[in-house]
Amino acid sequence: LPASPVQEANSAFRFCPAPDATVYVGGLDEKVSEPLLWELFLQAGPVVNTHMPKDRVTGQHQGYGFVEFLSEEDADYAIKIMNMIKLYGKPIRVNKASAHNKNLDVGANIFIGNLDPEIDEKLLYDTFSAFGVILQTPKIMRDPDTGNSKGYAFINFASFDASDAAIEAMNGQYLCNRPITVSYAFKKDSKGERHGSAAERLLAAQNPLSQADRPHQLFADAPPPPSVPTPVVTSLGPGVTPPG
């Protein structure tokens, strides 16, 4: 069996004093190289090592890589500012290498319709990741010739708690001045059957990995601005409280 991305990372990094200081980077264009990956993530913090697993026959990388930072704080900061940025026109996915697992798909897949043409993958990710862990880059369906959005997209959550919350909160809400529709997506090769069935939910409840997921809230961790009392302005002058 082919090695998983995490196994590739463990074999690539001969020394890893802080495993949580390593991030997984997915969705990489074929033109991305290890030196470019190093230079890009150096903007977020001190980089210790980079590795991009390559196909043994063609010598080309397989669309993902790993970046090891000096500390876990540096890795967390890189996830916060680098996730979903576009590299060669493609949004990249950045998360903790220790948490990356391609086998977590439980079927919590939703359909989003009536999207404004200006909405991109990063905006969808930032909007919907508040409800739970998103397994893959949001997939906006685009015209293959022009690259323009067709007005709908798919998002794959790691749990049904997240997808249920997203549907309940976002269906009919306005995004870029358009009310979007959010529902469970149709299953592939099925006769009109949607995801979210009782059977899928039962299987998901038995998956211990899905229970460990938490919503991505790195974009919302700034403390609220301090409240400043509004000065009272009356006919008696500023700052003077009227009688009564």
Side-chain angles (χ1 to χ4, degrees):
L1 292 176
S4 70
V6 174
Q7 289 171 330
E8 292 271 13
N10 291 337
S11 63
F13 295 136
R14 297 182 182 277
F15 62 96
C16 191
D20 285 337
T22 301
V23 300
Y24 165 89
V25 187
L28 296 176
D29 186 88
E30 60 182 10
K31 294 187 288 292
V32 178
S33 62
E34 283 195 26
L36 176 59
L37 201 65
W38 182 294
E39 290 295 332
L40 175 65
F41 280 86
L42 196 60
Q43 312 305 313
V47 175
V48 174
N49 203 347
T50 59
H51 175 59
M52 297 175 68
K54 293 179 174 60
D55 185 279
R56 294 178 182 177
V57 177
T58 65
Q60 299 293 320
H61 71 74
Q62 302 177 56
Y64 65 90
F66 299 90
V67 179
E68 181 186 357
F69 287 93
L70 197 59
S71 69
E72 183 178 356
E73 289 74 17
D74 296 325
D76 289 337
Y77 183 67
I79 293 171
K80 180 177 180 178
I81 67 170
M82 296 293 190
N83 192 38
M84 292 290 111
I85 69 167
K86 287 187 177 180
L87 193 57
Y88 290 109
K90 295 180 180 179
I92 63 174
R93 175 70 191 270
V94 185
N95 59 11
K96 282 290 182 70
S98 58
H100 184 73
N101 192 313
K102 287 191 173 181
N103 299 319
L104 195 57
D105 187 357
V106 295
N109 306 331
I110 65 173
F111 167 87
I112 307 168
N114 199 35
L115 290 176
D116 185 273
E118 299 302 315
I119 292 177
D120 62 7
E121 290 80 0
K122 178 169 175 55
L123 178 58
L124 279 185
Y125 183 89
D126 286 346
T127 301
F128 283 88
S129 59
F131 300 102
V133 173
I134 294 176
L135 293 178
Q136 300 168 354
T137 302
K139 186 175 182 63
I140 295 178
M141 305 308 294
R142 298 183 179 276
D143 184 284
D145 296 324
T146 65
N148 295 333
S149 169
K150 293 183 177 181
Y152 62 96
F154 298 92
I155 290 182
N156 186 1
F157 281 105
S159 71
F160 283 102
D161 287 342
S163 54
D164 287 342
I167 292 172
E168 182 178 356
M170 296 302 297
N171 186 40
Q173 295 297 319
Y174 280 77
L175 201 59
C176 290
N177 298 319
R178 276 195 190 182
I180 61 174
T181 61
V182 186
S183 62
Y184 275 105
F186 287 106
K187 295 181 179 179
K188 290 182 178 180
D189 304 321
S190 70
K191 298 180 180 180
E193 184 181 0
R194 292 182 182 270
H195 285 284
S197 65
E200 280 186 320
R201 292 172 184 272
L202 181 61
L203 290 173
Q206 299 171 356
N207 188 336
L209 291 174
S210 66
Q211 307 306 314
D213 284 313
R214 293 293 181 269
H216 167 76
Q217 296 175 332
L218 290 176
F219 59 90
D221 62 354
S227 57
V228 179
T230 305
V232 178
V233 180
T234 69
S235 58
L236 302 176
V240 179
T241 305

